[in-house]
Coordinates of all heavy atoms in Angstrom, one line a residue:
A17 N -28.6 -6.2 -21.3 CA -29.5 -5.4 -20.4 C -30.0 -6.3 -19.3 O -30.0 -6.0 -18.1 CB -30.6 -4.8 -21.2
E18 N -30.4 -7.5 -19.7 CA -30.9 -8.5 -18.7 C -29.8 -8.8 -17.7 O -30.1 -8.9 -16.4 CB -31.4 -9.8 -19.4 CG -32.0 -10.8 -18.5 CD -32.7 -11.9 -19.2 OE1 -32.4 -12.1 -20.4 OE2 -33.5 -12.6 -18.6
Q19 N -28.6 -9.1 -18.1 CA -27.5 -9.4 -17.2 C -27.2 -8.2 -16.3 O -26.8 -8.4 -15.1 CB -26.3 -9.9 -17.9 CG -26.5 -11.3 -18.6 CD -25.2 -11.9 -19.0 OE1 -24.1 -11.6 -18.6 NE2 -25.3 -12.9 -20.0
M20 N -27.3 -7.0 -16.8 CA -27.0 -5.8 -15.9 C -28.1 -5.7 -14.8 O -27.7 -5.4 -13.7 CB -27.1 -4.6 -16.8 CG -25.8 -4.4 -17.7 SD -26.0 -2.9 -18.8 CE -24.4 -2.8 -19.4
V21 N -29.3 -5.9 -15.2 CA -30.4 -5.8 -14.2 C -30.2 -6.9 -13.1 O -30.4 -6.7 -11.9 CB -31.8 -6.0 -14.9 CG1 -32.9 -6.1 -13.8 CG2 -32.0 -4.8 -15.8
R22 N -29.9 -8.1 -13.6 CA -29.6 -9.2 -12.6 C -28.5 -8.9 -11.6 O -28.5 -9.4 -10.5 CB -29.3 -10.5 -13.4 CG -30.5 -11.2 -14.0 CD -30.1 -12.4 -14.7 NE -31.2 -13.1 -15.4 CZ -31.1 -14.1 -16.2 NH1 -29.9 -14.7 -16.4 NH2 -32.1 -14.7 -16.8
A23 N -27.5 -8.1 -12.1 CA -26.4 -7.8 -11.3 C -26.7 -6.6 -10.3 O -25.9 -6.2 -9.5 CB -25.2 -7.4 -12.1
G24 N -27.9 -6.0 -10.4 CA -28.3 -4.9 -9.6 C -28.3 -3.6 -10.2 O -28.6 -2.6 -9.6
G25 N -27.9 -3.5 -11.5 CA -27.8 -2.3 -12.2 C -29.2 -1.8 -12.7 O -30.2 -2.5 -12.6
K26 N -29.2 -0.5 -13.2 CA -30.4 0.0 -13.8 C -30.2 0.3 -15.2 O -29.1 0.9 -15.6 CB -30.9 1.3 -13.0 CG -31.3 1.1 -11.6 CD -31.7 2.4 -10.9 CE -32.1 2.1 -9.4 NZ -32.5 3.4 -8.8
V27 N -31.1 0.0 -16.1 CA -30.9 0.1 -17.5 C -32.1 0.7 -18.2 O -33.3 0.4 -17.9 CB -30.7 -1.4 -18.1 CG1 -30.3 -1.3 -19.6 CG2 -29.6 -2.1 -17.3
M28 N -31.8 1.5 -19.2 CA -32.8 1.9 -20.2 C -32.4 1.4 -21.6 O -31.3 1.6 -22.1 CB -32.9 3.4 -20.3 CG -33.9 3.9 -21.4 SD -34.2 5.7 -21.2 CE -35.4 5.6 -19.9
I29 N -33.3 0.6 -22.1 CA -33.1 0.1 -23.5 C -33.9 1.0 -24.5 O -34.9 1.6 -24.1 CB -33.6 -1.4 -23.6 CG1 -35.1 -1.5 -23.3 CG2 -32.8 -2.3 -22.8 CD1 -35.7 -2.9 -23.6
C30 N -33.3 1.0 -25.7 CA -34.0 1.8 -26.7 C -34.1 1.0 -28.0 O -33.3 0.1 -28.2 CB -33.4 3.2 -26.9 SG -32.0 3.2 -28.1
G31 N -34.9 1.5 -28.9 CA -35.1 0.9 -30.2 C -36.2 1.6 -30.9 O -36.9 2.5 -30.4
R32 N -36.5 1.1 -32.1 CA -37.6 1.8 -32.9 C -39.0 1.1 -32.8 O -40.0 1.7 -33.1 CB -37.2 1.8 -34.4 CG -36.0 2.6 -34.7 CD -35.6 2.6 -36.1 NE -35.0 1.3 -36.5 CZ -34.5 1.1 -37.7 NH1 -34.4 2.1 -38.6 NH2 -34.0 -0.1 -38.0
D33 N -39.0 -0.1 -32.3 CA -40.3 -0.9 -32.1 C -40.8 -0.8 -30.7 O -40.3 -1.5 -29.8 CB -40.0 -2.3 -32.5 CG -41.3 -3.1 -32.6 OD1 -42.3 -2.8 -31.9 OD2 -41.3 -4.1 -33.4
G34 N -41.7 0.1 -30.5 CA -42.2 0.4 -29.1 C -42.8 -0.8 -28.5 O -42.7 -1.1 -27.3
R35 N -43.6 -1.6 -29.3 CA -44.3 -2.8 -28.7 C -43.2 -3.8 -28.2 O -43.3 -4.4 -27.1 CB -45.2 -3.4 -29.8 CG -46.0 -4.6 -29.3 CD -47.0 -5.0 -30.3 NE -47.9 -4.0 -30.7 CZ -48.9 -4.1 -31.6 NH1 -49.0 -5.2 -32.3 NH2 -49.7 -3.1 -31.8
K36 N -42.2 -4.0 -29.1 CA -41.2 -5.0 -28.7 C -40.4 -4.5 -27.5 O -40.1 -5.3 -26.5 CB -40.2 -5.2 -29.8 CG -39.1 -6.2 -29.5 CD -37.9 -6.1 -30.5 CE -38.3 -6.6 -31.9 NZ -37.2 -6.6 -32.8
L37 N -40.1 -3.2 -27.4 CA -39.3 -2.7 -26.3 C -40.1 -2.8 -25.0 O -39.6 -3.2 -24.0 CB -39.0 -1.2 -26.5 CG -37.9 -0.8 -27.5 CD1 -37.9 0.7 -27.7 CD2 -36.6 -1.3 -26.9
A38 N -41.4 -2.5 -25.1 CA -42.2 -2.5 -23.8 C -42.3 -4.0 -23.3 O -42.2 -4.2 -22.1 CB -43.6 -2.0 -24.1
K39 N -42.4 -4.9 -24.2 CA -42.5 -6.3 -23.8 C -41.2 -6.8 -23.2 O -41.1 -7.4 -22.1 CB -42.8 -7.2 -25.0 CG -43.0 -8.7 -24.7 CD -43.5 -9.4 -25.9 CE -43.8 -10.9 -25.6 NZ -42.6 -11.7 -25.2
T40 N -40.1 -6.4 -23.8 CA -38.7 -6.8 -23.3 C -38.5 -6.1 -22.0 O -38.0 -6.8 -21.0 CB -37.6 -6.4 -24.3 OG1 -37.8 -7.1 -25.5 CG2 -36.2 -6.6 -23.7
A41 N -38.8 -4.8 -21.9 CA -38.6 -4.1 -20.6 C -39.3 -4.7 -19.5 O -38.8 -4.9 -18.3 CB -38.9 -2.7 -20.8
E42 N -40.5 -5.1 -19.7 CA -41.3 -5.8 -18.7 C -40.7 -7.1 -18.2 O -40.7 -7.4 -17.1 CB -42.8 -6.0 -19.1 CG -43.7 -6.6 -18.1 CD -45.1 -6.7 -18.6 OE1 -45.4 -6.4 -19.7 OE2 -46.0 -7.2 -17.8
E43 N -40.3 -7.9 -19.2 CA -39.8 -9.2 -18.9 C -38.4 -9.2 -18.2 O -38.2 -10.0 -17.3 CB -39.6 -10.0 -20.2 CG -40.9 -10.3 -20.9 CD -40.8 -11.0 -22.3 OE1 -39.6 -10.9 -22.8 OE2 -41.8 -11.5 -22.8
I44 N -37.6 -8.2 -18.4 CA -36.3 -8.2 -17.8 C -36.1 -7.1 -16.7 O -35.1 -7.1 -16.0 CB -35.1 -8.0 -18.9 CG1 -35.2 -6.5 -19.4 CG2 -35.2 -9.0 -20.0 CD1 -34.0 -6.2 -20.4
G45 N -37.1 -6.3 -16.5 CA -37.0 -5.3 -15.4 C -36.3 -4.0 -15.8 O -35.7 -3.4 -14.9
A46 N -36.3 -3.6 -17.0 CA -35.6 -2.4 -17.5 C -36.6 -1.3 -17.8 O -37.8 -1.6 -17.9 CB -34.7 -2.7 -18.7
D47 N -36.1 -0.1 -17.9 CA -36.9 1.0 -18.5 C -36.7 1.0 -20.0 O -35.7 0.4 -20.5 CB -36.4 2.3 -17.9 CG -36.9 2.6 -16.5 OD1 -38.1 2.7 -16.3 OD2 -36.0 2.7 -15.6
F48 N -37.6 1.7 -20.7 CA -37.4 1.7 -22.2 C -37.8 3.1 -22.7 O -38.5 3.8 -22.1 CB -38.2 0.6 -22.9 CG -39.7 0.9 -22.9 CD1 -40.2 1.5 -24.1 CD2 -40.5 0.6 -21.9 CE1 -41.6 1.7 -24.1 CE2 -41.9 0.8 -21.9 CZ -42.4 1.4 -23.1
H49 N -37.2 3.4 -23.9 CA -37.6 4.7 -24.6 C -37.5 4.4 -26.1 O -36.4 3.9 -26.5 CB -36.6 5.8 -24.2 CG -36.9 7.1 -24.7 ND1 -37.9 7.9 -24.0 CD2 -36.5 7.8 -25.7 CE1 -38.0 9.1 -24.7 NE2 -37.2 9.0 -25.8
V50 N -38.5 4.8 -26.8 CA -38.5 4.5 -28.2 C -37.6 5.6 -28.9 O -37.8 6.8 -28.7 CB -39.9 4.6 -28.8 CG1 -39.9 4.4 -30.3 CG2 -40.8 3.5 -28.2
A51 N -36.6 5.2 -29.6 CA -35.7 6.1 -30.3 C -35.0 5.5 -31.5 O -34.6 4.3 -31.4 CB -34.6 6.6 -29.3
D52 N -34.9 6.2 -32.5 CA -34.1 5.8 -33.7 C -32.7 6.5 -33.5 O -32.6 7.8 -33.6 CB -34.8 6.3 -35.0 CG -34.0 6.0 -36.2 OD1 -32.8 5.6 -36.2 OD2 -34.6 6.1 -37.3
V53 N -31.6 5.7 -33.4 CA -30.3 6.4 -33.1 C -29.8 7.2 -34.2 O -28.9 8.1 -34.0 CB -29.3 5.3 -32.7 CG1 -29.6 4.6 -31.4 CG2 -29.0 4.3 -33.8
S54 N -30.3 7.1 -35.4 CA -29.9 7.9 -36.5 C -30.5 9.3 -36.5 O -30.2 10.2 -37.3 CB -30.2 7.3 -37.9 OG -31.6 7.2 -38.1
S55 N -31.5 9.5 -35.6 CA -32.1 10.8 -35.4 C -31.5 11.5 -34.2 O -31.6 11.1 -33.1 CB -33.6 10.6 -35.1 OG -34.2 11.8 -34.6

């Protein structure tokens, strides 16, 4: 996701840990959405 953003792309990351996602998204410049892929 970080390399995609650096290349000029737009990215949404997902995962189950909202706090971790929010921190990562802020650090790398991505959007985020809390989601469990098994749901």
Side-chain angles (χ1 to χ4, degrees):
E18 185 172 16
Q19 290 193 22
M20 286 175 170
V21 171
R22 286 181 181 174
K26 295 182 179 180
V27 184
M28 174 168 284
I29 59 174
C30 86
R32 294 179 291 187
D33 187 333
R35 184 174 298 178
K36 180 195 293 184
L37 282 174
K39 184 174 185 295
T40 296
E42 182 178 2
E43 290 173 350
I44 69 175
D47 283 296
F48 76 95
H49 188 82
V50 178
D52 179 347
V53 295
S54 68
S55 164

